[in-house]
Amino acid sequence: MTELANPWSLPVVVAQIPETGLHREIEANAHERAAMAELGGLREILSAQASFDLTPIVEGRVRLVGRVRARVGQTCVVTLDPIENEVDEAIDLIFAPPSQIPEMADLVEDDAEPGADVPDPPEPIERGLIDIGRVATDALFLGLDPYPRKPDATFEPLIAPDDPEEHPFAALKALKTSPAAGKSKKSPER
C-alpha cells in the first residue's frame, strides 16, 4: 500500500502474539498525523493515540480490543470557523485467516431484527499481519463528527423583509380597479 493510503502503519505478526496476549500502546508522530489529516480531509490532527490488546483465539483467529483517542482540527459547518474536536472510539474486532472469512461471514445474520446486536464479520489477517496503525486510523475516521459545529453556533437563515411591490399578487393589485368601477350595473331581468 502507498504511504498516503496507509499513513499510520504498525504491523503486528500474528505468529508472534503469545497465548497470553499482547498489549500495545501507540502514538502517531507529526508526519503520520499530517498524512492522516490529508487523507481524511481534516484541517489537522493534533494528537492520535491507541491502546490495543490482541488475544489469540481458536483456529488462528485474533481478537483485538482497544480504544483510539485523538484531537482533530475541523471546520464548523455553520460559521466556517476552525474548531477542535475530541475522538474517543472503542474497538472490538475479530481477525481471521482469509480462508475462514467466507464461512464466518455466512454466520452473520443478514435478516436480524432491527436493534439486535449483530456481530460484524471478521477482518482478514493479511500476509500473517494485523496492521494496528491502520485499525486505529479507520477507527479515528469513523469517530469523526461529520457535521462539526461550535458549541454556541446556531444557523439562522437570512430573512429579508418582503417588498410589498414584489409579492406574487402584486400584478393582480395593478389590475384592481377603483371600488366604484368594480360595481357593475345589472340589467333588470325580464
Side-chain angles (χ1 to χ4, degrees):
M1 295 205 154
T2 65
E3 185 176 313
L4 182 58
N6 192 12
W8 192 12
S9 181
L10 295 163
V12 172
V13 179
V14 172
Q16 293 177 353
I17 299 173
E19 286 183 27
T20 57
L22 179 68
H23 179 79
R24 288 285 183 253
E25 299 277 338
I26 61 174
E27 185 167 353
N29 65 34
H31 175 72
E32 292 163 336
R33 291 191 318 265
M36 286 188 299
E38 182 180 344
L39 180 64
L42 299 169
R43 263 189 324 102
E44 61 185 331
I45 296 177
L46 302 160
S47 66
Q49 305 91 24
S51 174
F52 295 120
D53 290 309
L54 294 101
T55 309
I57 50 181
V58 298
E59 299 177 10
R61 297 179 207 143
V62 176
R63 181 172 185 194
L64 180 143
V65 177
R67 180 162 235 94
V68 174
R69 291 182 177 90
R71 185 154 185 84
V72 298
Q74 293 181 283
T75 302
C76 175
V77 295
V78 175
T79 65
L80 301 181
D81 291 335
I83 59 173
E84 292 180 6
N85 284 324
E86 298 288 332
V87 174
D88 187 355
E89 207 52 32
I91 300 171
D92 188 352
L93 297 172
I94 301 292
F95 285 82
S99 61
Q100 296 178 15
I101 301 289
E103 147 192 348
M104 292 180 72
D106 288 342
L107 298 176
V108 176
E109 295 181 32
D110 290 331
D111 58 347
E113 293 181 27
D117 191 19
V118 178
D120 291 330
E123 299 289 325
I125 295 173
E126 297 175 354
R127 297 181 315 261
L129 304 171
I130 296 174
D131 190 342
I132 59 175
R134 175 70 180 254
V135 171
T137 302
D138 291 346
L140 186 152
F141 290 156
L142 287 172
L144 289 173
D145 182 352
Y147 303 105
R149 156 184 276 197
K150 287 174 67 172
D152 59 344
T154 57
F155 177 74
E156 295 179 22
L158 294 176
I159 300 174
D162 291 335
D163 183 357
E165 298 300 318
E166 293 186 13
H167 64 79
F169 297 107
L172 292 176
K173 184 178 180 182
L175 295 176
K176 184 178 177 185
T177 57
S178 68
K183 296 179 182 176
S184 62
K185 294 183 181 176
K186 288 189 176 181
S187 58
E189 291 186 23
R190 296 187 203 178

